[in-house]
Amino acid sequence: TAAARGSPRAGTDGGEGDGGSAKVCAPFPGSVDSSNVLRFIAHCNISLGLRMGTYAELREWSVADPDAFWSAFFDHSGLVASAKGGRVRTQDVPFHLTRFFPDARLNYAENLLRFCAEAPPGADAVVFRGEDERARERVTYPELAVRVARMARYLREDCGVTRDDVVAGVVPNTPDALVAMLAVASLGAAWAGCSPDFGVAAVLDRLAQLRPRVLFAAGEYRRAGFSAAERPVHRSLLQVEAQLYFKLPRKLSVSRN
């Protein structure tokens, strides 16, 4: 909300006339006028000829005309899409089954990586801290873009990954895992990850049904003071690889990071 964009000032008295209640937070002067909510309201007023001025009026309109609301949000959001499509949402289905913009064409990774070109020089895209004190890494936006492009090229040219393929990873949450996920998404493929702490049965239960074309496996990781070499799950990855080879009718590429 508009108030949430300002730094909270806890303990501010509500003043007289509010029953003695205390405000949870209050925006700094000027932060409301520069909020995303008011910018969106202004966009809707100008593009659609509306006359809204408050969040309550915006919410009322969103309920009364959800198609117009979400179409305006799509246009205002800055999403990169090759096609918006004519339908805002699927009709005649329960709300929890509704699909928004079912005909739109966009790429998840492209929308995230577009910030690489907009970020200030040297700005961090990723700041990583691992359990091990030596596990420290900072990745700038240009570095992230280069690493993702290289990985995407490897997956496409060396592993034959195409749209609708699945790439799996038995990896911890590290910058390498993020790079792999973004590279996979950039190709229109799906990423499925699971922790190296999973046992063989759990990994196979998740990955065998997905039929991954490529499997990433962590070379090492640490948790609770133990290294990967000391944990039986790491050694059991060989069993996972062997059984996936057996279960899948097509070639499985295995990459260790």
Side-chain angles (χ1 to χ4, degrees), residues 14-195:
E16 295 182 0
D18 63 356
S21 62
K23 294 181 181 179
V24 176
C25 69
F28 286 125
S31 62
V32 173
D33 293 337
S34 62
S35 67
N36 286 329
V37 169
L38 287 192
R39 279 197 289 266
F40 180 49
I41 288 176
H43 165 80
C44 295
N45 288 341
I46 294 173
S47 62
L48 300 174
L50 302 177
R51 299 181 63 183
M52 298 182 295
T54 65
Y55 173 80
E57 292 173 334
L58 176 66
R59 180 184 181 279
E60 183 178 351
W61 174 61
S62 74
V63 174
D65 194 349
D67 283 5
F69 172 85
W70 287 110
S71 180
F73 174 78
F74 190 104
D75 296 337
H76 178 70
S77 67
L79 284 170
V80 179
S82 59
K84 178 180 177 180
R87 294 183 296 167
V88 173
R89 59 195 174 108
T90 53
Q91 304 290 334
D92 302 323
V93 295
F95 180 78
H96 68 282
L97 298 178
T98 300
R99 295 180 59 209
F100 286 85
F101 301 100
D103 305 313
R105 305 291 298 175
L106 56 83
N107 185 275
Y108 175 73
E110 180 182 15
N111 275 277
L112 291 181
L113 293 173
R114 66 189 171 96
F115 295 104
C116 293
E118 303 170 2
D124 289 323
V126 180
V127 178
F128 172 72
R129 296 290 183 267
E131 180 180 313
D132 190 332
E133 287 297 322
R134 295 169 299 178
R136 300 286 188 268
E137 186 176 358
R138 304 180 83 98
V139 183
T140 66
Y141 281 95
E143 290 170 345
L144 179 63
V146 169
R147 288 172 63 172
V148 170
R150 288 174 177 171
M151 179 62 71
R153 184 168 59 249
Y154 163 73
L155 290 170
R156 181 180 61 251
E157 298 178 0
D158 293 5
C159 302
V161 173
T162 61
R163 178 186 164 195
D164 298 330
D165 277 333
V166 174
V167 175
V170 185
V171 293
N173 291 324
T174 65
D176 287 333
L178 174 64
V179 167
M181 182 277 290
L182 289 172
V184 170
S186 73
L187 298 175
W191 168 263
C194 54
S195 169

